[in-house]
Amino acid sequence: QTVVTQEPSFSVSPGGTVTLTCGLSSGPVSTNSYPSWFQQTPGQAPRTLIYSTNTRSSGVPDRFSGSIVGNKAALTITGAQADDESDYYCVLYMGSGIWLFGGGTKLSVL
Amino acid sequence: QVQLVQSGAEVKNPGSSVKVSCKASGGTFSTNAISWVRQAPGQGLEWMGGITGMFGTTNYAQKFQGRLTITADGFPSTVYMELSSLRSEDSAVYYCARSLGYSYVPSPNYHDYYMDAWGTGTTVTVSS
């Protein structure tokens, strides 16, 4: 059974840079997986940050960027702010109209 | 600005079914694809399935095959998610998410697949 892997937790200092990753148990992640990234705070619906690996959704600040790093999709936050403290999820396209979310990364800004 | 308004919280007995609606407020999404994503308490997001705009093609995650049915009424635009044979593990917040375009299936020439708007969420509790 294919699993999308993310770091369970990560921390970054205010103003710092952090890169969260999104891997695939069955092999490398490529642009053909069309990785998307979402931000979610407790009790709120997710917010779409990035799609198609590196395209920012409307209104998303440019300190959020997406890429492929090695065999994984990556979300980089540059100049982290206190309100970036959230859960971050990636989702990958599996083919045949099916998407698979990762388990999420809880980001602390401290 | 289209908003996605979902039906209210539900409490269901194990073995029963639940039907959650997702309606566009301030517009329609008769040509937009809709995905359903759930989140169990303290857990991550889980893509369940979706329905494309225009042709109403559906896809379901293997985990939900045989239990999940997604349908749509074209006008007014409402999409429904029905999950049957409920068990306690189905207790979750259920979200609808709209794709910018008619399909959530990506391709090199089609990038409007992504989920650009999310519903208000519906809490489903399965308990005897």
Side-chain angles (χ1 to χ4, degrees), chain A residues 37-39 47-51 54-66 75-77 84 88, chain B residues 114 116:
Chain A
W37 291 90
F38 305 87
Q39 178 190 50
R47 169 197 181 196
T48 305
L49 296 175
I50 301 285
Y51 63 97
N54 56 13
T55 304
R56 277 184 294 276
S57 188
S58 177
V60 174
D62 60 7
R63 53 199 187 78
F64 291 91
S65 62
L75 173 71
T76 299
I77 306 172
D84 294 335
Y88 291 85
Chain B
Y114 71 98
D116 80 316

Side-chain angles (χ1 to χ4, degrees), chain B residues 2 6 9 13 21 33 44 47-48 52 54 65 73 82 101 126:
Chain B
V2 173
Q6 298 183 221
N13 291 322
S21 67
W47 189 86
M48 301 175 67
T52 63
M54 294 173 64
Q65 289 278 359
D73 280 341
E82 184 170 19
V126 182

Side-chain angles (χ1 to χ4, degrees), chain B residues 1-4 22-36 49-58 70-80 96-105 110-118:
Chain B
Q1 180 89 9
V2 173
Q3 293 184 314
L4 306 183
C22 172
K23 184 175 181 178
S25 172
T28 70
F29 50 52
S30 59
T31 59
N32 295 91
I34 295 288
S35 294
W36 286 90
I51 186 166
T52 63
M54 294 173 64
F55 301 112
T57 303
T58 55
I70 299 174
T71 54
D73 280 341
F75 185 82
S77 298
T78 302
V79 174
Y80 301 91
C96 60
R98 185 194 74 170
S99 294
L100 189 65
Y102 67 94
S103 176
Y104 45 77
V105 177
Y110 175 73
H111 290 264
D112 287 345
Y113 66 87
Y114 71 98
M115 293 175 268
D116 80 316
W118 291 74

Side-chain angles (χ1 to χ4, degrees), chain A residues 4-109:
Chain A
V4 176
T5 60
Q6 296 185 248
E7 299 88 357
S9 63
F10 228 115
S11 64
V12 62
S13 301
T17 296
V18 63
T19 297
L20 311 181
T21 67
C22 174
L24 195 56
S25 62
S26 57
V29 175
S30 73
T31 56
N32 293 331
S33 300
Y34 298 92
S36 295
W37 291 90
F38 305 87
Q39 178 190 50
Q40 187 184 35
T41 53
Q44 300 297 312
R47 169 197 181 196
T48 305
L49 296 175
I50 301 285
Y51 63 97
S52 294
T53 305
N54 56 13
T55 304
R56 277 184 294 276
S57 188
S58 177
V60 174
D62 60 7
R63 53 199 187 78
F64 291 91
S65 62
S67 62
I68 300 290
V69 176
N71 291 329
K72 297 182 179 182
L75 173 71
T76 299
I77 306 172
T78 304
Q81 301 178 0
D83 59 4
D84 294 335
E85 186 161 291
S86 302
D87 294 325
Y88 291 85
Y89 294 92
C90 68
V91 72
L92 301 177
Y93 184 60
M94 297 288 107
S96 302
I98 303 299
W99 292 85
L100 188 61
F101 275 97
T105 298
K106 185 176 184 64
L107 180 67
S108 299
V109 180

